[in-house]
Amino acid sequence: MTHKVLIYPDRQALVSAAFDLMVARIRTAVDERQRCTIALSGGSTPQPLYAALAQADLPWDRIGIYWGDERYVPPSHPDSNYGMTKRIWLDSCPIPAANIHPMPTNFADPQQAAAEYDRQILADFGLEAGSIPAFDLILLGMGDDGHTASLFPHTAALSVRDRLVTVGEKDGQPRITFTYPLIDRARSTIFLISGASKQTALGEIFAPTGDADTYPARGIQPQGELLWLLDADAGKDLAIAS
Ligand SMILES: O=C(O)[C@H](O)[C@@H](O)[C@H](O)[C@H](O)COP(=O)(O)O
């Protein structure tokens, strides 16, 4: 299916384009399937996008919000992706609380939290264990090291292929993350990447040959649409055909 790289002059143009694309994909999903399932990324890049989505006129009762990864902290913690999204977007938007599905971070063992989210997702999609649900839209960021979601370089999470959700690890700290198989099943996957600090990793990811263990975002190979939305600071030196 469609794999495209789109480069925008600055972060504002990048966010505006991402907003238009997300709104279009959401409306298509609701028109075609009467619902839209979205998995969000964390970090700083998507925050202005989330603020814009809070004001969007969308069929919120038809939209299910999930997270593609989460730091293993309570929602009230400043590092919580759910807490950030709630503050910036969800608290200002008429989406039913039942449509918001934060990753659990209250189990003593993060493996139990990952298993619980795995179970929740299968139940929400009405699927049996062993199935891989197709999210309508997965939004991803990318770290300077080329990680995406919480799939960090040279970690065990990169090899997990028999589950939807697993435990990631950053500097010894646990995270909950979608696995490659779940991400790759999405109908539409959008990377949102901004800033010169991402140039090196992007160069490695778009190189003709490379190592997804070192640059995990290179391992995202969805059957569906894959859009890389970059600002010029991130993508200006990329020698790629769009
Ligand atoms: O929990 C997280 O941090 C994210 O999901 C992570 O994958 C993020 O997208 C990248 O680290 C980029 O973060 P920035 O947007 O802050 O550069």
Side-chain angles (χ1 to χ4, degrees), residues 11 40-47 50 67-71 79-81 84 139-145 147-152 170 175-176 192-194 197-198:
R11 187 170 174 182
L40 299 175
S41 75
S44 57
T45 305
Q47 293 184 18
Y50 295 170
W67 278 262
D69 75 311
E70 183 58 275
R71 295 83 180 275
D79 288 349
S80 168
N81 288 333
M84 174 272 285
L139 184 65
L140 295 173
M142 187 196 73
D144 297 356
D145 61 357
H147 82 263
T148 189
S150 282
L151 299 168
F152 285 89
K170 178 183 183 179
R175 297 206 175 175
I176 309 297
L192 189 68
I193 301 174
S194 168
S197 67
K198 315 289 182 169

Side-chain angles (χ1 to χ4, degrees), residues 35-41 50 63-69 85 98-103 117 120-125 135 137 178:
R35 79 173 194 150
C36 179
T37 50
I38 306 172
L40 299 175
S41 75
Y50 295 170
I63 297 169
I65 300 285
Y66 297 75
W67 278 262
D69 75 311
T85 314
N99 291 21
I100 300 171
H101 309 276
M103 287 182 152
Y117 206 56
Q120 273 179 32
I121 289 171
L122 284 170
D124 292 350
F125 279 78
F135 275 81
L137 176 58
F178 277 14

Side-chain angles (χ1 to χ4, degrees), residues 150-161 166 180-181 212-216:
S150 282
L151 299 168
F152 285 89
H154 307 298
T155 56
L158 302 182
S159 312
V160 176
R161 299 279 167 175
T166 192
Y180 278 129
D213 257 4
T214 306
Y215 295 96

Side-chain angles (χ1 to χ4, degrees), residues 67-84 101-118 120 150 165-168 173-177:
W67 278 262
D69 75 311
E70 183 58 275
R71 295 83 180 275
Y72 208 66
V73 294
S76 57
H77 191 284
D79 288 349
S80 168
N81 288 333
Y82 163 63
M84 174 272 285
H101 309 276
M103 287 182 152
T105 58
N106 56 331
F107 289 82
D109 177 359
Q111 291 288 356
Q112 282 185 298
E116 172 58 20
Y117 206 56
D118 197 304
Q120 273 179 32
S150 282
V165 184
T166 192
V167 178
Q173 293 307 308
R175 297 206 175 175
I176 309 297
T177 185

Side-chain angles (χ1 to χ4, degrees), residues 185-200:
R185 187 81 175 79
R187 290 186 177 85
S188 182
T189 304
I190 298 179
F191 273 100
L192 189 68
I193 301 174
S194 168
S197 67
K198 315 289 182 169
Q199 280 180 12
T200 302

